[in-house]
Amino acid sequence: MTIDKSVFIPVDPDTAFALITRPERLRRWQTVAARVDLRVGGEYRWTITPGHSAAGTFTEIEPGKRVVFTWDWEGSKAPAADASTVTITLDSVDGGTNVRLVHEGLSPEQAIGHTEGWNHYFERLVTLTTTDDAGADDWAAAPDPLTELVSAEATLAIVQHVLRTLTHADADKPTPCEDFTVSELVEHLVGSITGIGKALGVAVADQPDAAPEVRVADAAQPTLEAFQARGLEGTIDMGFAELPASLVANILNLEFLVHAWDFATATGQDLDVSPVLTDYVLGLAHNTISPQMRGKSFADETLVEESAASMDRLVAFTGRQVLAN
């Protein structure tokens, strides 16, 4: 079966082409993370929602006009030859661009799910191009089922959304993470992700002059992709110690979600996180932060009401002061 869908967006075709092919643009409306080798024969991998990544190969590329690529879900049991094909055509029209998507080679069952998906994400594309912000993706908020790595992708989506709004004026603001300004905390977060990536055998290329969201995303994408391929069995040599792989994944969750709270608090942003996710990460925190780590990597736990939201209980457990509302 074939899906044929068109939308109008109020941007020129070159801008539209960037929105559908460049990782930093895709993250604004469709993906949590994206790897793109934009050439004929090049491969892509898009984490659409936590735990669900699409992958394929570009077969035709006309910048500003058209792109064609194969489409399959990572982990699909279908043979590669059975992958479907997506064609996106961009036509310049008065006031913007008509974006037409044709997704061919789907089974009737696949067509139902993919129609819902393309409707959802094209609606977000229209919102982005008309308001400059598609907002956080509800579909990424509370994945089910949750695992350490699926949760890491969900918490990555949250910290990226917070970082996207940072400006140069925020750089020197203090954060709840003791002794770190916003810019210093960005360096810490990039360094932590890069260190885990290195332990997983990934060479992470940092761009110090890039925007904070881009730096974190560019470090996190290959790190999480390598982690997904490796799995959670056994241990990982972190250089300073051999740690259980599951513990390293827990650390990524805490780095993403707790520092998202730090950045949001420092810059006056509201942080809207599903309690399903914060409950899960709070459980990971209890399995990760030992008494021996207090006074070193983490301050002593602070007090909050037992009835406090799990996000507040999480950051209090990591040693942060939670202000009463």
Side-chain angles (χ1 to χ4, degrees):
M1 294 188 69
T2 298
I3 298 169
D4 192 331
K5 180 176 180 60
S6 296
V7 295
F8 167 83
I9 56 176
V11 298
D12 63 78
D14 288 336
T15 300
F17 189 79
L19 284 166
I20 63 174
T21 58
R22 290 174 54 179
E24 68 274 19
R25 298 289 187 264
L26 286 162
R27 291 194 300 270
R28 298 287 301 277
W29 64 281
Q30 187 180 21
T31 73
V32 174
R35 168 171 55 81
V36 175
D37 181 8
L38 191 60
R39 59 184 177 85
V40 173
E43 297 181 347
Y44 73 90
R45 180 183 186 269
W46 297 345
T47 300
I48 306 296
T49 59
H52 298 90
S53 294
T57 302
F58 293 102
T59 58
E60 297 179 42
I61 299 172
E62 294 182 65
K65 295 181 179 180
R66 169 184 165 95
V67 62
V68 183
F69 48 91
T70 61
W71 174 282
D72 199 5
W73 290 105
E74 192 170 78
S76 170
K77 295 180 181 179
D82 291 342
S84 55
T85 301
V86 175
T87 301
I88 301 178
T89 305
L90 307 173
D91 290 320
S92 180
V93 295
D94 187 28
T97 301
N98 188 64
V99 182
R100 182 187 180 195
L101 173 137
V102 177
H103 193 162
E104 302 172 277
L106 297 167
S107 70
E109 182 180 4
Q110 290 172 328
I112 293 172
H114 283 78
T115 296
E116 182 183 10
W118 286 119
N119 285 342
H120 173 75
Y121 285 107
F122 267 39
E123 181 179 329
R124 287 178 54 78
L125 176 62
V126 171
T127 301
L128 172 63
T129 55
T130 54
T131 69
D132 199 38
D133 185 8
D137 184 5
D138 291 342
W139 284 17
D144 183 22
L146 277 167
T147 67
E148 292 92 332
L149 293 178
V150 171
S151 177
E153 291 176 343
T155 53
L156 171 63
I158 291 164
V159 73
Q160 287 176 164
H161 187 70
V162 173
L163 290 172
R164 198 169 292 140
T165 67
L166 297 188
T167 68
H168 290 298
D170 295 319
D172 294 329
K173 291 179 179 178
T175 73
C177 192
E178 190 174 352
D179 298 329
F180 282 97
T181 63
V182 166
S183 62
E184 290 167 341
L185 191 57
V186 170
E187 295 298 329
H188 162 79
L189 181 55
V190 172
S192 295
I193 302 167
T194 301
I196 292 173
K198 182 179 179 181
L200 291 166
V202 175
V204 177
D206 184 27
Q207 303 177 64
D209 294 332
E213 188 267 348
V214 172
R215 294 183 65 196
V216 168
D218 284 354
Q221 189 284 321
T223 298
L224 282 171
E225 182 176 352
F227 220 149
Q228 289 282 9
R230 182 202 181 280
L232 294 171
E233 299 300 320
T235 61
I236 296 175
D237 183 0
M238 294 297 297
F240 59 87
E242 286 271 348
L243 297 180
S246 59
L247 181 62
V248 178
N250 292 358
I251 292 169
L252 269 179
N253 277 273
L254 296 177
E255 290 282 353
F256 293 150
L257 187 53
V258 175
H259 290 325
W261 184 88
D262 290 331
F263 288 122
T265 301
T267 57
Q269 299 183 52
D270 292 328
L271 189 65
D272 185 15
V273 186
S274 165
V276 173
L277 183 60
T278 53
D279 285 348
Y280 183 81
V281 177
L282 178 58
L284 299 183
H286 280 280
N287 292 332
T288 302
I289 302 173
S290 65
Q292 293 76 19
M293 298 173 73
R294 300 294 184 182
K296 299 176 182 177
S297 300
F298 295 91
D300 290 336
E301 180 179 3
T302 61
L303 296 178
V304 291
E305 296 290 337
E306 290 185 9
S307 60
S310 54
M311 187 73 224
D312 288 345
R313 286 184 282 123
L314 170 62
V315 296
F317 186 71
T318 65
R320 282 132 172 98
Q321 293 290 338
V322 180
L323 299 178
N325 293 326

